[in-house]
Each structure stands twice: as C-alpha cells, then as structure tokens.
Amino acid sequence: MSWNPIAEPVDFVILAGQRTPGIAEVQGFHSPRQWDERKGYGLSGATLRYRGIGLAKGKLIIRLTTEQDWADWHDFAPVVKRPPVGERAHALDISHPLLEQLDIRAVVVEDVGQPTQDDRGTWTIVIELKEYRKPVVQLSTPDGAATTPEPQTEGQRIIQRLT
C-alpha cells in the first residue's frame, strides 16, 4: 500500500466495524522485535536469538468539537466499554492506513480515559490499545551480518566456474 497522508488525509479509524466520531488520530504504535541476548563468561559480545514480533501498544485519540460529535460518541462508546463482570474481553478489528503499514489488524482496549477539555473547547478522549495477534512459532538465531559480495575479477569467475 502506498498511502500518502498529504494527498489523502484520514481523520478517522474503523474500530469493530464502526467509524470513530469527531477527529481521530493513532499515536505511539510501533513494530517491536523481541531478542534474547546470551553472553558467555569472560566473553565480549553475545549471541542473539530472535524470539519473534512483540505486541505493539498505542493510543487512539478522539477529539470532539460539535454537538454531533458528542451524539456520535455516545453511539460509538459501547464499542470500547468494559466487558460485563464474568465475561472475557475480546479483540476488535481495527483499520487505519498507519496501522496497516505496521500490519496491525486487531487490538484490545487497555484503558479509556475520561473526556478532557482544552482552552479552545475541544474535548479529547484517549483510548489506550494493545495489538492482538495469535502466537506463532518464530525462534531463530542469526548466522551473522548480511554482506554484499565483493566484485570478482574475470580470473576469479573462471576459477569459480571450473570448480
């Protein structure tokens, strides 16, 4: 995907099939990798073992400026409300071009902040999210740094073909 935020601005997120009210922004998401570092006694350096992709965390920030935004918020709020006592929380599908670039497709709600108002009258609601992804086996040890082969001379190419 080659989304251009200047040519095609997106000021909403689709969460659990519903469009966010007001103006929405995603912040703080990243693409973490998990590494184990194994050092030997008296040795300089270490062996790294790749343990897979970590779960990203970030925020969905919703800004409400009109009465219609507030009406839309009241319709949207059940999507992020707490699950009833005794029920399990569930992941929500999410869609925004910035999250698609990080391959984030589902999230769980960690926290919903209270609405706060700034000095211009804009109300802001911060929703903290964590990526949801089923686990897959992904354990490996790198063999070393990737290097580009040095150019060979004509004589080296002939010897390589003959051997």
Side-chain angles (χ1 to χ4, degrees), residues 46-85:
T47 300
L48 294 175
R49 178 154 299 173
Y50 180 65
R51 294 189 314 135
I53 302 169
L55 297 176
K57 287 184 174 186
K59 295 177 183 178
L60 169 58
I61 299 170
I62 297 175
R63 293 184 178 84
L64 308 173
T65 58
T66 66
E67 288 184 33
Q68 183 60 50
D69 288 346
W70 273 104
D72 294 344
W73 167 252
H74 292 299
D75 292 339
F76 179 81
V79 172
V80 296
K81 73 176 185 176
R82 291 183 186 176
V85 175

Side-chain angles (χ1 to χ4, degrees), residues 6-163:
I6 296 171
E8 305 169 48
V10 176
D11 64 356
F12 63 92
V13 172
I14 303 296
L15 187 63
Q18 292 194 30
R19 182 179 168 142
T20 52
I23 297 173
E25 176 184 354
V26 291
Q27 283 186 359
F29 284 93
H30 46 91
S31 179
R33 284 110 171 141
Q34 297 176 337
W35 291 91
D36 272 346
E37 188 175 308
R38 298 182 179 191
K39 298 179 181 182
Y41 178 76
L43 297 177
S44 177
T47 300
L48 294 175
R49 178 154 299 173
Y50 180 65
R51 294 189 314 135
I53 302 169
L55 297 176
K57 287 184 174 186
K59 295 177 183 178
L60 169 58
I61 299 170
I62 297 175
R63 293 184 178 84
L64 308 173
T65 58
T66 66
E67 288 184 33
Q68 183 60 50
D69 288 346
W70 273 104
D72 294 344
W73 167 252
H74 292 299
D75 292 339
F76 179 81
V79 172
V80 296
K81 73 176 185 176
R82 291 183 186 176
V85 175
E87 288 189 26
R88 290 184 177 194
H90 54 277
L92 307 170
D93 291 332
I94 192 166
S95 178
H96 187 276
L98 291 173
L99 298 179
E100 288 174 15
Q101 291 175 4
L102 296 172
D103 202 27
I104 297 172
R105 310 241 184 271
V107 294
V108 294
V109 176
E110 285 195 308
D111 194 15
V112 178
Q114 74 175 38
T116 58
Q117 189 177 30
D118 67 14
D119 56 355
R120 288 188 251 145
T122 299
W123 288 88
T124 302
I125 302 167
V126 178
I127 303 167
E128 294 183 29
L129 304 172
K130 187 172 193 174
E131 178 184 14
Y132 170 79
R133 191 173 10 90
K134 289 184 177 182
V136 294
V137 176
Q138 199 167 14
L139 185 65
S140 65
T141 304
D143 291 331
T147 59
T148 56
E150 294 195 22
Q152 293 182 330
T153 65
E154 184 60 32
Q156 290 172 323
R157 284 193 289 270
I158 293 171
I159 292 171
Q160 188 175 16
R161 276 194 307 255
L162 294 174
T163 55

